[in-house]
Amino acid sequence: MDSDKNVVCIKWGDKFSADYVNKLYNMVQRNLSLKHRFICLTEDPTDLNPNIEVFPFTRNDLEYCWNKLVLFEKKLYNINGTILFFDLDVVIINSIDDLFLFQPKSEFASVKDWGFPDRCLNASIMRMNGNFDYIIEEFYRLRASGQLMESREYDDYLGSFDKVTYVLPDIPPLIFYLVLWRSGMDNISINTTESENNLVSGKLVKKLQVWL
């Protein structure tokens, strides 16, 4: 299906089964009346609804939520237009048409994190329409240079020390820094709310933290 509206989710490993993807697909079909594509990025398409478009990950060295970084590839297969990303444990109960129809000043919008609403975004829902490839490039640059330190922490859901965190020296663990402070970057904000859905956009002055 050709469309400039794309609902995208990610399934990696066995933390979430195919059933979560299928349920998210069904919720989107019930609550999105606009023509769209539903896409799942995964290394294992077993038992997914055949109406779901499936693509493999563009990188094979990321785990769990860090696979969200591939959403910022310069070219992500034949996906064009707006990407609306949902975590697999998101529950949709009303129309989400406005998440595509609203027109913020920025090319990236997300949900204010309920724990740190003034300085953090939560990456469980993201909308993007633009080129943000420097985010994934900066991640790999920092990791390769040793500035981004990897560690493992206990995950209650997994019941093991399999949670992967990356830490920069000047920020606490579990936060991924979107390095959006580069010269001329002014299309993201955590300062202005432009919709009743608590999505955030506007002009960015400093670095932006995003909970993955």
Side-chain angles (χ1 to χ4, degrees):
M1 177 190 297
D2 292 329
S3 176
D4 62 352
K5 299 175 179 62
N6 309 279
V7 178
V8 180
C9 65
I10 285 175
K11 184 179 88 71
W12 183 91
D14 56 6
K15 182 174 183 178
F16 294 102
S17 67
D19 192 45
Y20 277 85
V21 182
N22 294 335
K23 287 181 178 179
L24 180 62
Y25 170 80
N26 290 334
M27 287 187 288
V28 168
Q29 303 320 300
R30 288 195 300 268
N31 292 287
L32 181 59
S33 66
L34 308 173
K35 182 180 179 182
H36 65 279
R37 299 168 67 185
F38 188 99
I39 298 164
C40 180
L41 303 176
T42 183
E43 85 288 7
D44 181 13
T46 304
D47 295 329
L48 292 184
N49 186 313
N51 293 316
I52 296 173
E53 294 185 59
V54 177
F55 293 100
F57 291 115
T58 56
R59 315 270 178 156
N60 59 13
D61 58 344
L62 299 171
E63 299 181 47
Y64 299 107
C65 59
W66 296 99
N67 282 289
K68 294 180 186 181
L69 284 169
V70 304
L71 296 170
F72 302 105
E73 295 277 18
K74 188 170 185 178
K75 180 62 179 176
L76 189 58
Y77 298 107
N78 64 346
I79 304 173
N80 299 305
T82 301
I83 288 177
L84 180 61
F85 171 83
F86 289 108
D87 270 353
L88 291 180
D89 54 357
V90 166
V91 176
I92 303 171
I93 59 174
N94 292 311
S95 172
I96 58 173
D97 286 7
D98 284 345
L99 296 184
F100 278 112
L101 295 177
F102 91 111
Q103 299 180 358
K105 296 177 182 178
S106 68
E107 296 177 329
F108 180 97
S110 187
V111 180
K112 283 188 176 182
D113 188 87
W114 38 92
F116 304 93
D118 295 329
R119 62 183 177 89
C120 224
L121 301 182
N122 189 288
S124 58
I125 303 174
M126 297 183 285
R127 197 190 92 158
M128 62 195 79
N129 185 1
N131 184 8
F132 296 97
D133 62 296
Y134 59 85
I135 293 174
I136 189 169
E137 290 175 1
E138 183 74 356
F139 171 85
Y140 276 97
R141 184 190 71 79
L142 290 170
R143 192 172 72 167
S145 67
Q147 297 178 68
L148 199 59
M149 298 171 288
E150 178 179 327
S151 64
R152 301 256 171 186
E153 296 194 1
Y154 187 80
D155 186 289
D156 290 333
Y157 186 94
L158 297 172
S160 64
F161 285 89
D162 284 336
K163 177 180 283 186
V164 181
T165 66
Y166 290 98
V167 182
L168 284 169
D170 60 342
I171 64 171
L174 305 183
I175 294 178
F176 173 62
Y177 244 106
L178 286 183
V179 186
L180 301 173
W181 46 266
R182 299 193 327 173
S183 175
M185 185 62 192
D186 64 353
N187 62 347
I188 294 185
S189 163
I190 55 174
N191 299 321
T192 342
T193 301
E194 292 190 342
S195 83
E196 293 180 357
N197 297 313
N198 207 28
L199 295 176
V200 183
S201 62
K203 188 168 184 177
L204 182 76
V205 178
K206 297 182 179 179
K207 297 180 183 178
L208 173 63
Q209 298 173 348
V210 174
W211 287 99
L212 289 181

